[in-house]
Amino acid sequence: MSAFPVPSMLDARTQAFPILTPAQIARVKPSGKSRRVEPGEVLFAPGDTSVPFFVLLSGAMEIVQPSLSGDVPVAKHDPGEFTGEMTMISGHRCLVLGRVTQSGDFLELTGDALRSLIARDAELSEIFMRAFILRRLELIKHHLSGLVLMGSRYSAKTLQLREFLTRNGFPYVYVDLDLDRTSQDLLDRFSIQPEEVPVVICSNRGVMRNPSIQKLADCLGFNALVDDTQIRDVIIVGAGPSGLAAAVYAASEGLDVLVIETESPGGQAGSSSKIENYLGFPTGLSGQELATRAITQAEKFGAKMMIARNVVRLDCAKRPYKVVLDDGRSLTAKAVIIATGAQYNKPRIPNLHQFEGQGVYYGATFMESQLCEKEDVVVIGGGNSAGQAAVYLSQTSRKVYMLVRSGQLSDTMSRYLIQRIEQNPAIELRYKTEIVGLDGGKHLERVTWQDKTTGETSTHDIRHVFIMAGASPRTDWLQDCVALDGKGFILTGRDILVGTERAATLPVTPPQMLETSLPGVFAVGDVRSGNVKRVASAVGEGAIAIHMVHRALAEL
Ligand SMILES: Cc1cc2nc3c(=O)[nH]c(=O)nc-3n(C[C@H](O)[C@H](O)[C@H](O)COP(=O)(O)OP(=O)(O)OC[C@H]3O[C@@H](n4cnc5c(N)ncnc54)[C@H](O)[C@@H]3O)c2cc1C
């Protein structure tokens, strides 16, 4: 059976709320202690940290989501069943309230004891992990968490926060102020100004006006359990496919690992609607799905994640190295893996910034596709990601104009995508064409493009542009610590000896494969010079790097 089977509707409930056999309970017992419970006793509540895990030996309990209009029932547990959902693994704040309804004896385990049991016992690991994932999916489906996001479809910040919550698999209620007059009246009564939208009601921890994703992450307690004083075996900067793969292998091989991600895990792949060339997924999977599975897998093995924190500097003067965060804190590690990937170059259009998130997007996921349903859209770029976006958007948009700067689609575009684009009547390919003007008010309303062969310009009533052309490495934070190639990608292994322009950065001992010019610092995925820009190669490099990290640690 696969690790994440897709359950049929019939057995979904059984898999989300399985009953442990006496033999399975006997294997849990040595990890916990028995606790007598009485009706009305609250065992955990929303916002709690370090929530224990319970197996019901006798008695019963209910799980509810407290709300202003009373408790919303989530589940009931009887003997043989167990509590918990994904927060048991991530260590994030609890989302629901657990109350005893019938006296009995419960087996109580700390979060650490549960995680170590999961690492030792493959059968229990599969039962618990599957139940936790399915229960989280139910919470997301029914928007159960106490978090309310009130925003506008015309606000870039609303889109950013929605993407952040979705990509982190966090349930929330979304209120669209453009459609819901009552909520808008409520905001008016509290004198909330348009520039203070979106408004987030963060469970029972207050109301935030136009919060940054860092503030939202802090309010949700995403990083509450990260100890900054600890010296770790390895810190991974970036949680795209390469960083997440490195995290899974590092944690599963017993290394003490922390992953730091400036936005949400998933990286560029997270903005892909469907990845069809990743080994083992013949019908494809979305980048979001891949990322969610990888995070769960990494956390299951004990990797710690720090979300919505930007690494601004590597203090490489001496080992162990320090990774400096945007809030001034620094974290120490004996080895560092740089997995910061690449990001799309922004075309030189004067008012591009004004429309980012309000008509100009750098990813084409379900969220963006909803915003431009049955409308015309433009996709800029001739590579794989642009092609994929064009095909995906053509399913919901009226027409997709694919603007390619050169005279052909990229040589690296997959054959299957070229065929789909060429045979799709909803996609119009325009070569040697570039956008020269964007126009609108609050939201993008018109696009002007120029045919570079004829010089002719034309303006179109198009409200959505997807930019997916040419990516640059995210290495600005590294300053002079490691050797880079002429385009700013990180040189590794033997390439350093050939490609470096700065002899001063050459290490004394020859670097290992994937090792940078700084001993014990590795680079993987799209940020690495010479990397093949594919999910599979990013994942492969992330896994291989851990082998090299073991060697580097042994040499210390
Ligand atoms: C729309 C789209 C579709 C794609 N489709 C496919 C496909 O079908 N098949 C395929 O094989 N490949 C595809 N790719 C390419 C693939 O996604 C990339 O090759 C892969 O994501 C690279 O992984 P990575 O981990 O090296 O970097 P990235 O995915 O770029 O991840 C880097 C991560 O590091 C974080 N980060 C950056 N700087 C910092 C910092 N200073 N501090 C903390 N965190 C930081 C970023 O926020 C990001 O999450 C696609 C790419 C895109 C954009």
Side-chain angles (χ1 to χ4, degrees):
M1 189 182 286
S2 75
F4 294 102
V6 180
S8 69
M9 288 307 282
L10 199 63
D11 64 11
R13 161 110 209 138
T14 327
Q15 298 202 29
F17 298 97
I19 299 172
L20 298 179
T21 63
Q24 287 163 343
I25 293 178
R27 297 214 302 277
V28 181
K29 263 189 182 154
S31 303
K33 59 177 195 294
S34 181
R35 172 169 164 179
R36 185 75 198 160
V37 293
E38 298 301 336
E41 208 175 315
V42 172
L43 300 179
F44 45 84
D48 284 357
T49 48
S50 309
V51 170
F53 170 78
F54 296 97
V55 177
L56 282 71
L57 302 174
S58 59
M61 70 180 295
E62 61 178 355
I63 308 293
V64 297
Q65 170 71 62
S67 79
L68 290 175
S69 48
D71 288 347
V72 180
V74 176
K76 286 192 167 120
H77 291 307
D78 291 315
E81 293 187 20
F82 54 86
T83 59
E85 57 90 45
M86 281 315 296
T87 47
M88 288 305 324
I89 300 300
S90 65
H92 292 168
R93 286 203 182 108
C94 183
L95 302 180
V96 290
L97 183 140
R99 188 187 292 121
V100 178
T101 50
Q102 256 178 51
S103 58
D105 293 303
F106 288 9
L107 195 57
E108 178 176 342
L109 278 73
T110 62
D112 281 344
L114 172 69
R115 282 187 284 275
S116 109
L117 178 63
I118 281 177
R120 288 193 314 270
D121 192 313
E123 188 199 16
L124 288 175
S125 164
E126 179 147 351
I127 295 170
F128 294 156
M129 291 303 295
R130 192 189 303 123
F132 293 166
I133 292 166
L134 292 173
R135 290 175 189 179
R136 172 56 68 101
L137 291 178
E138 278 301 293
L139 292 179
I140 293 175
K141 188 166 147 201
H142 299 290
H143 314 286
L144 292 167
S145 76
L147 184 86
V148 181
L149 170 64
M150 299 165 112
S152 159
R153 60 182 55 197
Y154 302 112
S155 135
K157 193 59 173 297
T158 302
L159 180 65
Q160 190 197 19
L161 295 188
R162 290 188 72 190
E163 273 181 345
F164 178 74
L165 291 167
T166 306
R167 285 179 68 166
N168 281 290
F170 198 90
Y172 68 101
V173 172
Y174 175 59
V175 178
D176 189 334
L177 295 170
D178 301 309
L179 301 176
D180 186 339
R181 222 24 261 169
T182 332
S183 302
Q184 183 62 61
D185 292 346
L186 192 76
L187 294 188
D188 293 345
R189 218 164 312 141
F190 285 103
S191 312
I192 290 176
Q193 304 302 313
E195 62 277 12
E196 293 175 318
V197 168
V199 172
V200 177
I201 303 171
C202 184
S203 307
N204 50 4
R205 284 177 299 282
V207 175
M208 294 186 293
R209 300 170 185 213
N210 192 9
S212 61
I213 55 168
Q214 286 78 8
K215 285 244 164 64
L216 181 56
D218 289 345
C219 176
L220 299 176
F222 278 5
N223 303 321
L225 293 183
V226 176
D227 173 8
D228 342 343
T229 59
Q230 201 176 325
I231 300 179
R232 295 190 159 77
D233 291 329
V234 55
I235 286 183
I236 300 167
V237 187
S242 63
L244 289 171
V248 168
Y249 284 88
S252 68
E253 291 172 23
L255 296 180
D256 174 11
V257 54
L258 172 72
V259 186
I260 307 174
E261 166 57 50
T262 189
E263 289 160 22
S264 311
Q268 296 169 70
S271 64
S272 163
S273 51
K274 203 169 205 185
I275 297 166
E276 293 194 60
N277 56 358
Y278 188 54
L279 185 75
F281 294 90
T283 54
L285 85 170
S286 73
Q288 174 62 49
E289 226 177 319
L290 181 71
T292 308
R293 286 167 188 240
I295 300 161
T296 308
Q297 206 171 3
E299 288 181 332
K300 175 181 107 164
F301 288 122
K304 295 273 179 296
M305 309 279 296
M306 195 177 219
I307 306 297
R309 281 283 166 249
N310 194 25
V311 174
V312 290
R313 195 162 61 82
L314 178 65
D315 183 348
C316 55
K318 62 176 188 335
R319 225 163 150 183
Y321 301 115
K322 285 191 190 308
V323 163
V324 184
L325 303 181
D326 48 1
D327 60 4
R329 280 184 296 160
S330 59
L331 296 133
T332 313
K334 296 173 206 161
V336 174
I337 295 183
I338 303 166
T340 45
Q343 68 188 353
Y344 289 120
N345 297 331
K346 298 188 177 183
R348 282 203 206 102
I349 306 170
N351 52 353
L352 182 73
H353 180 66
Q354 180 191 339
F355 297 113
E356 282 174 343
Q358 291 156 114
V360 170
Y361 317 99
Y362 297 92
T365 65
F366 177 67
M367 193 94 65
E368 287 86 11
S369 73
Q370 278 179 314
L371 298 173
C372 49
E373 235 172 356
K374 299 199 173 58
E375 294 189 50
D376 290 355
V377 305
V378 168
V379 173
I380 300 180
N384 258 318
S385 45
Q388 226 179 55
V391 171
Y392 178 63
L393 292 166
S394 71
Q395 296 165 19
T396 44
S397 310
R398 192 169 46 201
K399 178 150 196 170
V400 179
Y401 293 93
M402 194 170 170
L403 308 189
V404 185
R405 202 167 60 167
S406 67
Q408 57 179 39
L409 292 173
S410 160
D411 293 343
T412 55
M413 188 185 276
S414 310
R415 192 71 235 147
Y416 76 91
L417 264 183
I418 296 179
Q419 275 170 1
R420 279 190 210 164
I421 292 165
E422 288 174 349
Q423 288 164 9
N424 191 328
I427 301 177
E428 185 173 319
L429 254 172
R430 287 177 169 254
Y431 294 115
K432 297 209 172 200
T433 304
E434 282 178 48
I435 289 195
V436 290
L438 299 173
D439 191 16
K442 218 163 130 188
H443 195 278
L444 177 67
E445 279 157 27
R446 278 171 301 283
V447 174
T448 302
W449 64 64
Q450 184 174 40
D451 181 327
K452 292 287 174 187
T453 319
T454 61
E456 207 178 293
T457 59
S458 52
T459 300
H460 308 258
D461 290 336
I462 294 182
R463 293 166 18 88
H464 307 279
V465 172
F466 293 81
I467 298 178
M468 288 167 170
S472 297
R474 297 175 83 169
T475 46
D476 46 335
W477 58 282
L478 287 163
Q479 283 126 19
D480 286 335
C481 282
V482 298
L484 307 177
D485 72 9
K487 290 185 174 164
F489 290 90
I490 301 173
L491 290 164
T492 53
R494 284 162 41 148
D495 288 351
I496 300 172
L497 309 175
V498 182
T500 188
E501 289 168 9
R502 293 179 297 121
T505 60
L506 284 178
V508 180
T509 47
Q512 303 184 65
M513 180 183 171
L514 304 180
E515 195 169 25
T516 67
S517 55
L518 195 61
V521 175
F522 299 83
V524 293
D526 279 18
V527 76
R528 195 178 69 77
S529 176
N531 160 276
V532 179
K533 309 282 179 273
R534 290 280 190 270
V535 173
S537 52
V539 167
E541 289 182 12
I544 297 168
I546 296 308
H547 183 63
M548 310 298 159
V549 165
H550 281 297
R551 279 205 217 161
L553 295 180
E555 283 164 12
L556 273 182

